[in-house]
């Protein structure tokens, strides 16, 4: 029952924070958020499952209890983790705690509501990564949208309402399309399943139980459902050209919210792609390998080029997330141990590094009240610690060895080059590697213009080093990025164990 306790404690922490006086809300939320961190680390330390949760593997910390009946189908409260979801649970709890600390300086009004919504969002994210019944999972999936909508719409920048509505509309429409695609699979399975439990559905699909539905043959139904689900999840990732909601959301959102958006919420999309599309319909995924690889490379290159054209530090980091998520899609479609495993590892690595970069930009903004590259230069002399961590994080984004980003990209590229999913896969991989060059270009440009050179600042504020509580989360994220880069087996061994059954189904292992 530890997963239930983890989610319940986080929900309870949110409720308590809502009623704490504003002046104490930040400290209270931080203290309360430590309980989920301890719980997730305990789960990681005690983790002893093997295989994939959807494909007959042992499920860690599993609970499976019948809940409701919907026609011929039972809805179960089924939760558990395997080597794919366990690292994301740990990432969610740690990043939420650090994001809460990073909010102490910029959030100066309605603090109890802000920090309560942050914890509420964390509880729902934990549900997304642990739920193994579709309806329970979908409730958590949709519930994540509400806190994020209010966090952007109430505490965001001048165009916050537009950004919040755009975020909500894009993701809600995507969820509807995804829901229709998945339910069509359920109806196509007919009497071969009796519940919405994901393992039962996945194993029925692998046993060839899918029949015709709505005038579509089994093969056509699988293709239509795959496309619908891929579209729904690709918006959340986001994959170009479905990414246009992301820059507005990032730019208008407060920095701690951007940390959670890039660090965890985007991973909901890639996690769901792996769980649903690439696990349940591997043959269909391989049939669509060419367009998926094209989308992956397009996201890598296009996102990097858009970042190169920006003058706003936050937009630079926001567009770089589109590029980084393209590598995840490339690894998934490779259908090799290192490809799919590296894609999963990249979800965690990018969560840490993107969180670090957004926090660093936020600390600079807290002091300078600007994010424009043209408004400042040489601030490293005035903010040496912040600048040093920003530089280290940027090099981590570029794939500096002994940092998590390097390990993730190495795994993905190794897996993609070895892929037999299609003959042109090495060409797509080589094209995607060119994105690293563009990443180096825009990050070096931003650092050189803002951090180094003669000091210049077009503003009336004193530029001094940030307070300890602003810098400490940056230091923790940098340390975690290095630890995961030096010792990737902290997560990669359990990830490999969970992805190998998928590859056996896809015929690539």
């Amino acid at each position: 029952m530890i997963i239930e306790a983890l989610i319940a404690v986080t929900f309870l922490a949110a409720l308590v924070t809502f009623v704490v006086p504003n002046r104490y809300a930040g400290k209270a939320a931080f203290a309360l958020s430590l309980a989920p961190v301890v719980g997730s680390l305990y789960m990681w330390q005690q983790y002893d499952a093997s295989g994939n949760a959807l494909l007959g593997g042992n499920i860690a910390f599993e609970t499976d209890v019948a809940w409701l009946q919907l026609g011929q189908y039972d809805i179960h409260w089924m939760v558990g983790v395997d080597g794919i979801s366990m690292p994301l649970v740990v990432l969610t709890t740690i990043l939420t705690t650090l994001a809460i600390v990073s909010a102490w300086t910029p959030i100066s009004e309605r603090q109890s509501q802000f920090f309560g919504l942050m914890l509420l969002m964390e509880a729902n994210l934990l549900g997304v990564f642990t739920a193994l019944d579709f309806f329970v999972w979908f409730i958590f999936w949709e519930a994540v949208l509400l806190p994020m909508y209010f966090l952007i719409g109430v505490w965001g920048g001048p165009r916050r309402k537009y950004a919040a509505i755009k975020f909500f509309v894009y993701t809600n429409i995507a969820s509807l399309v995804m829901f229709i695609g998945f339910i069509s699979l359920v109806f196509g399975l007919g009497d071969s399943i009796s519940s919405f439990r994901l393992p039962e559905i996945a194993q029925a699909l692998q046993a060839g139980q899918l029949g015709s539905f709505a005038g579509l043959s089994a093969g056509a139904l699988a293709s239509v459902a795959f496309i619908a689900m891929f579209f729904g999840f690709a918006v959340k990732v986001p994959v170009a050209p479905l990414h246009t909601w992301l820059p507005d959301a990032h730019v208008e959102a407060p920095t701690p919210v951007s940390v959670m958006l890039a660090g965890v919420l985007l991973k909901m999309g890639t996690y769901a792609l792996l769980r649903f599309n690439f696990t349940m319909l591997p043959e269909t995924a391989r049939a669509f390998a060419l367009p998926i690889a094209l989308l992956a490379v397009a996201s890598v290159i296009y996102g990097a080029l858009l970042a190169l054209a920006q003058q706003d530090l936050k937009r630079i980091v926001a567009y770089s997330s589109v590029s980084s998520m393209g590598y995840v899609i490339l690894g998934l479609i490779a259908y090799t141990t290192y490809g799919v495993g590296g894609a999963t590892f990249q979800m965690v690595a990018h969560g840490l590094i993107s969180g670090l970069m957004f926090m660093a930009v936020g600390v600079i903004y807290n002091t300078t009240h600007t994010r424009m590259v043209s408004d400042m230069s040489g601030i490293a002399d005035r903010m040496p610690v912040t600048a040093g961590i920003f530089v280290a994080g940027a090099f981590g984004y570029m794939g500096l060895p002994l940092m998590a980003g390097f390990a993730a990209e190495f795994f993905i590229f190794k897996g993609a080059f070895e892929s037999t999913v299609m003959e042109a896969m090495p060409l797509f991989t080589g094209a995607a590697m060119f994105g690293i060059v563009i990443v180096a270009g825009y990050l070096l440009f931003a650092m050189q213009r803002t951090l180094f050179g003669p000091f210049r600042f077009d503003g009336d504020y004193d530029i001094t080093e940030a307070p300890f509580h602003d810098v400490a989360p940056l230091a923790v994220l940098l340390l975690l990025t290095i630890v995961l880069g030096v010792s990737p087996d902290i997560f990669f061994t359990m990830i490999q164990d969970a992805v190998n059954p998928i590859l056996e189904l896809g015929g690539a292992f």
Side-chain angles (χ1 to χ4, degrees), residues 198-453:
L198 297 180
E200 181 180 350
I201 294 170
Q203 290 168 46
L205 287 168
Q206 301 315 313
Q209 299 295 322
L210 186 65
S212 60
F213 174 70
L216 298 173
S217 66
L221 177 60
S223 296
V224 171
F226 184 95
I227 293 170
M229 291 191 296
F230 189 93
F231 172 83
F233 298 139
V235 171
K236 184 78 77 174
V237 172
V239 174
L242 305 173
H243 67 284
T244 55
W245 63 268
L246 182 67
D248 291 317
H250 269 310
V251 169
E252 299 305 322
T255 295
V257 179
S258 290
V259 170
M260 293 302 296
L261 178 58
V264 186
L265 265 74
L266 303 190
K267 311 310 178 291
M268 290 169 58
T270 49
Y271 170 79
L273 279 172
L274 177 54
R275 280 290 195 222
F276 290 82
N277 292 67
F278 292 92
T279 299
M280 295 185 179
L281 299 169
E283 294 181 1
T284 308
R286 290 170 67 86
F288 285 110
L290 178 59
I292 292 173
L294 282 170
L295 285 173
V297 175
S299 294
V300 170
I301 302 300
Y302 185 61
L305 289 174
L306 286 174
L308 186 63
Q310 304 305 310
Q311 292 290 321
D312 185 320
L313 287 173
K314 210 173 186 185
R315 279 189 175 272
I316 291 174
V317 181
Y319 279 116
S320 69
S321 290
V322 177
S323 182
S324 295
M325 289 298 95
Y327 289 123
V328 176
I329 304 301
L330 184 70
L332 291 177
I333 196 55
Y335 266 110
T336 59
T337 300
Y338 279 98
V340 181
T344 308
F345 191 85
Q346 169 75 337
M347 297 182 206
V348 181
H350 179 263
L352 296 174
I353 299 174
S354 65
L356 169 60
M357 294 298 289
F358 273 112
M359 279 189 193
V361 171
V363 171
I364 293 172
Y365 179 79
N366 292 342
T367 301
T368 64
H369 297 271
T370 182
R371 296 189 304 262
M372 302 306 294
V373 173
S374 58
D375 289 346
M376 52 189 161
S377 67
I379 64 171
D381 288 340
R382 310 292 177 94
M383 305 178 69
V385 177
T386 301
I389 296 176
F390 184 92
V391 170
F395 278 104
Y397 234 131
M398 297 179 211
L400 185 71
L402 301 182
M403 299 186 80
F406 171 81
E409 290 175 2
F410 173 79
F411 293 150
I412 290 172
F413 292 146
K414 174 178 169 60
F417 273 120
E418 294 175 348
S419 175
T420 59
V421 73
M422 60 178 176
E423 292 184 0
M425 198 64 184
L427 296 177
F428 284 104
T429 307
M433 292 182 72
F434 183 70
I436 298 175
V437 179
I438 307 175
V439 168
Y442 63 71
L443 288 177
L444 290 172
F445 164 80
M447 289 190 296
Q448 182 65 36
R449 292 285 302 274
T450 58
L451 303 181
F452 306 112

Side-chain angles (χ1 to χ4, degrees), residues 88-312:
L88 294 171
V89 169
V90 176
L91 172 69
T92 300
T93 58
I94 291 176
L95 206 57
T96 301
T97 296
L98 296 176
I100 286 172
V101 177
S102 73
W104 289 356
T105 295
I107 304 302
S108 57
E109 59 182 12
R110 305 172 74 172
Q111 293 94 326
S112 61
Q113 297 172 34
F114 178 89
F115 290 108
L117 287 171
M118 289 283 284
L119 289 168
L120 182 61
M121 181 169 60
E122 178 188 11
N124 288 309
L125 285 166
L126 292 172
V128 168
F129 295 132
T130 57
L132 293 173
D133 180 280
F134 175 75
F135 264 89
V136 175
W137 174 86
F138 190 72
I139 290 170
F140 283 122
W141 175 273
E142 289 295 282
V144 170
L145 300 181
L146 294 176
M148 180 59 71
Y149 171 80
F150 288 111
L151 287 167
I152 297 173
V154 176
W155 289 273
R159 300 174 71 243
R160 58 186 179 272
K161 293 182 180 179
Y162 167 77
I165 292 172
K166 188 175 183 180
F167 160 78
F168 194 86
V169 169
Y170 266 63
T171 52
N172 224 19
I173 292 175
S175 294
L176 175 61
V177 175
M178 174 272 295
F179 184 88
I180 293 172
F182 184 82
I183 291 299
S184 68
L185 280 181
V186 172
F187 291 155
L189 289 170
D191 295 334
S192 63
I193 60 171
S194 60
S195 74
F196 288 98
R197 288 176 293 185
L198 297 180
E200 181 180 350
I201 294 170
Q203 290 168 46
L205 287 168
Q206 301 315 313
Q209 299 295 322
L210 186 65
S212 60
F213 174 70
L216 298 173
S217 66
L221 177 60
S223 296
V224 171
F226 184 95
I227 293 170
M229 291 191 296
F230 189 93
F231 172 83
F233 298 139
V235 171
K236 184 78 77 174
V237 172
V239 174
L242 305 173
H243 67 284
T244 55
W245 63 268
L246 182 67
D248 291 317
H250 269 310
V251 169
E252 299 305 322
T255 295
V257 179
S258 290
V259 170
M260 293 302 296
L261 178 58
V264 186
L265 265 74
L266 303 190
K267 311 310 178 291
M268 290 169 58
T270 49
Y271 170 79
L273 279 172
L274 177 54
R275 280 290 195 222
F276 290 82
N277 292 67
F278 292 92
T279 299
M280 295 185 179
L281 299 169
E283 294 181 1
T284 308
R286 290 170 67 86
F288 285 110
L290 178 59
I292 292 173
L294 282 170
L295 285 173
V297 175
S299 294
V300 170
I301 302 300
Y302 185 61
L305 289 174
L306 286 174
L308 186 63
Q310 304 305 310
Q311 292 290 321
D312 185 320

